[in-house]
């Protein structure tokens, strides 16, 4: 026993090496730290802004906490800003746009990337050219078209251009992924008697969930806070979307800045929740077609 103890005691003590951070790693940490602060600061500032009184906001003290938390601003934002009505309109327009974009873009990407036809690259080029068209440059032509079609001041006047402007990036992401799927899968399905729509429904759609989630989230973020088209084509108070709720707190002689901040926080919450809950899906979908296999 003593021999074991002496042998155990004679073992050299383990030296703990201090891990040194290389300059490159330190620069990377500083860069991402600055990026984190610049991205989170506007959200934190808006949250503090929404809990202040008008006097505190107009005093110019942007970095100070409120003397008393004004939670009543949120009650005023919900009641005075017709929050739930605008929220329902935004949800209807956004969800309908997402469904149309997913259906049409997946079918277009399937035809471009999986069918062997000579106009496939030309059609893909047309979609890519659609990414270069600014939304503001289409306001006057769309106004004339929708007026002739008698769809002005309806949600259809928003859904149609939203779908058109979200289609190019959706087709680009989905077609890039579909090109990585081996053609042998389709050939075996064709030998079993499956048609094009059966292959699309039973094979292509199940394996395309990651890029489709990315398209879904990007469409949601782009459509949710869109203002220019909504302000141009919608005039009825009953059909307006969330960005218009801010004007409920602006009168001829006064502005309720605290309620405006609270309304902006409530309007941003769905986007923030969707993004943080599905951020991993976005990353997987964006890199899904990067490596063939």
């Amino acid at each position: 026993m003593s021999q074991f103890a002496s042998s155990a005691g004679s073992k050299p003590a383990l030296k703990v090496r201090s891990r040194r951070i290389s300059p490159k790693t330190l620069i990377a940490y500083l860069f991402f730290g600055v990026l984190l602060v610049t991205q989170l600061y506007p959200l934190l500032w808006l949250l503090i802004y929404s809990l202040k009184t008008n006097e505190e906001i107009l005093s110019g003290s942007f970095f100070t906490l409120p003397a008393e938390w004004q939670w009543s601003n949120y009650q005023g934002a919900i009641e005075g800003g017709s929050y739930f009505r605008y929220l329902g309109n935004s949800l209807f327009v956004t969800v309908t746009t997402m469904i149309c974009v997913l259906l049409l873009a997946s079918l277009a990407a399937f035809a471009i990337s999986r069918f062997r036809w000579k106009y496939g690259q030309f059609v893909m080029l047309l979609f890519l050219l659609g990414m270069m068209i600014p939304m503001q440059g289409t306001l006057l032509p769309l106004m004339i078209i929708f007026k002739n079609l008698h769809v002005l001041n309806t949600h259809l006047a928003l859904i149609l251009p939203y779908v058109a402007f979200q289609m190019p990036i959706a087709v680009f992401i989905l077609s890039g992924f579909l090109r990585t799927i081996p053609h042998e899968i389709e050939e075996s399905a064709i030998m079993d008697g499956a048609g094009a729509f059966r292959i699309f429904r039973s094979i292509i759609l199940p394996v395309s969930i990651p890029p489709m989630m990315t398209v879904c989230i990007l469409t949601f973020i782009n459509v949710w806070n869109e203002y220019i088209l909504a302000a141009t084509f919608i005039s009825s108070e009953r059909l307006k979307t969330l960005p218009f709720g801010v004007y409920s707190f602006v009168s001829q002689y006064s502005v309720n800045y605290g309620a405006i901040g609270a309304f902006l926080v409530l309007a941003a919450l769905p986007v923030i929740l969707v993004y943080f809950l599905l951020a991993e899906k976005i990353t997987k979908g964006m890199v899904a077609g990067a490596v063939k296999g």
Side-chain angles (χ1 to χ4, degrees), residues 154-187:
T154 65
H155 284 153
L156 188 61
L158 296 181
I159 295 171
L160 290 177
Y162 288 164
V163 171
F165 280 106
Q166 297 304 314
M167 280 286 291
I169 185 63
V171 173
F172 177 74
I173 293 174
L174 291 175
S175 61
F177 173 79
L178 293 182
R179 287 192 181 96
T180 65
I181 301 176
H183 285 277
E184 289 76 12
I185 299 178
E186 298 173 24
E187 293 173 358

Side-chain angles (χ1 to χ4, degrees), residues 112-169:
I112 292 172
S113 59
R114 309 306 291 178
F115 290 177
R116 295 181 177 92
W117 53 307
K118 60 180 180 180
Y119 297 111
Q121 294 301 321
F122 176 73
V123 174
M124 185 64 191
L125 179 62
L126 290 179
F127 278 109
L128 295 179
L129 289 175
M131 299 172 65
M132 305 177 188
I133 301 175
M135 183 181 295
Q136 295 81 358
T138 64
L139 292 179
L140 182 57
L142 288 177
M143 174 68 75
I144 297 173
I145 293 173
F146 290 159
K147 183 179 180 180
N148 293 331
L149 294 176
H150 304 288
V151 296
L152 279 178
N153 202 31
T154 65
H155 284 153
L156 188 61
L158 296 181
I159 295 171
L160 290 177
Y162 288 164
V163 171
F165 280 106
Q166 297 304 314
M167 280 286 291
I169 185 63

